[in-house]
Amino acid sequence: MADVKTVILATNNAHKVSEISNALDFPGWEFKTLREMGIESDPDEDADTFLGNARIKALAAHRASGGLAALADDSGLVVDALDGAPGVYSSRFAGEDATDEDNNNKLLADLEGVPDEERTARFVCTLYFIDEDEREVVAQGKVEGRIGHEPQGEGGFGYDPLFWPDVFDGECTLAEVPQERKNEVSHRGNALRTMRFKIEVAEARKEGGLHQR
């Protein structure tokens, strides 16, 4: 890998920055947020897919930084009983300036009367990475679960207090586990592990360490 690589994270969300930088701790890689780099980049996220919006954000940061490597994610909650909503509108489900509490309250209102067996949902995360050589890497992760009837837990953010992952067998929400445990099962954690593997393979091929068959 290169001795020094600055990677722009197309987000100023502290939770995402911590999770991404810890998962992709390649030697010589330095992660910087848009704010830390003094970059103004706020493109319209007008795609109708997670991949489309992640690509928009990463390419905008890549260009605004003069061609530095950039990584962006787009993630959200997909609820079966709501035909996939809130989906790509997860962060603004209750309006453009909605808080996490606003979004959670709207979700509970929309699911009022829906029985437990029909409250199936999943968190989905798509990561899009473009490096200084214009190479692109895409990874996706998800975690299946159900939506509860009231917030539970003080950790996490977004819809975490309402989401009961299947992997926990109904014991707790994503907001009730330590960050390290959440990273092991979360949609973003799964996507980051896939992204890490793909980048390692791409770097090895670049350096001649792997031969494609």
Side-chain angles (χ1 to χ4, degrees):
M1 295 185 182
D3 292 336
V4 177
K5 181 194 286 283
T6 298
V7 181
I8 308 300
L9 298 181
T11 180
N12 286 311
N13 184 308
H15 296 281
K16 292 184 180 181
V17 170
S18 175
E19 197 168 348
I20 292 171
S21 59
N22 287 332
L24 301 180
D25 58 342
F26 294 118
W29 282 38
E30 182 179 41
F31 293 95
K32 295 289 187 179
T33 65
L34 295 168
R35 184 177 296 119
E36 288 173 328
M37 293 294 290
I39 294 173
E40 293 291 335
S41 180
D42 188 23
D44 290 332
E45 299 175 39
D46 54 4
D48 57 4
T49 65
F50 294 119
L51 173 57
N53 283 327
R55 187 173 189 274
I56 287 171
K57 290 184 283 189
L59 288 179
H62 174 67
R63 292 164 183 158
S65 67
L68 292 176
L71 185 147
D73 91 305
D74 199 58
S75 55
L77 181 68
V78 175
V79 181
D80 295 320
L82 301 181
D83 296 323
V88 296
Y89 303 104
S90 292
S91 65
R92 53 190 188 278
F93 191 38
E96 287 297 327
D97 298 317
T99 64
D100 288 347
E101 183 178 7
D102 294 334
N103 289 328
N104 284 324
N105 287 339
K106 176 171 172 53
L107 179 61
L108 289 175
D110 288 355
L111 288 175
E112 186 175 358
V114 177
D116 288 344
E117 64 271 16
E118 295 179 19
R119 298 171 79 93
T120 53
R122 65 207 51 83
F123 275 121
V124 177
C125 172
T126 298
L127 295 169
Y128 182 95
F129 173 77
I130 181 168
D131 71 8
E132 62 276 10
D133 298 319
E134 304 292 325
R135 291 182 304 162
E136 301 170 321
V137 182
V138 175
Q140 186 178 77
K142 64 180 179 178
V143 56
E144 300 284 344
R146 295 176 185 272
I147 304 301
H149 295 271
E150 62 182 11
Q152 191 163 310
E154 300 297 325
F157 62 100
Y159 299 95
D160 287 354
L162 291 177
F163 190 80
W164 295 77
D166 291 345
V167 70
F168 292 159
D169 294 324
E171 294 183 0
C172 57
T173 69
L174 271 184
E176 295 181 288
V177 295
Q179 185 64 43
E180 294 78 9
R181 179 61 175 139
K182 178 186 173 183
N183 292 349
E184 292 174 358
V185 303
S186 75
H187 54 309
R188 189 169 296 106
N190 290 332
L192 283 166
R193 281 184 284 277
T194 300
M195 175 64 73
R196 184 182 183 89
F197 173 76
K198 287 187 172 183
I199 289 176
E200 287 175 339
V201 170
E203 290 291 337
R205 285 175 175 161
K206 180 180 178 181
E207 297 174 0
L210 282 179
H211 299 281
Q212 295 189 40
R213 297 181 178 179

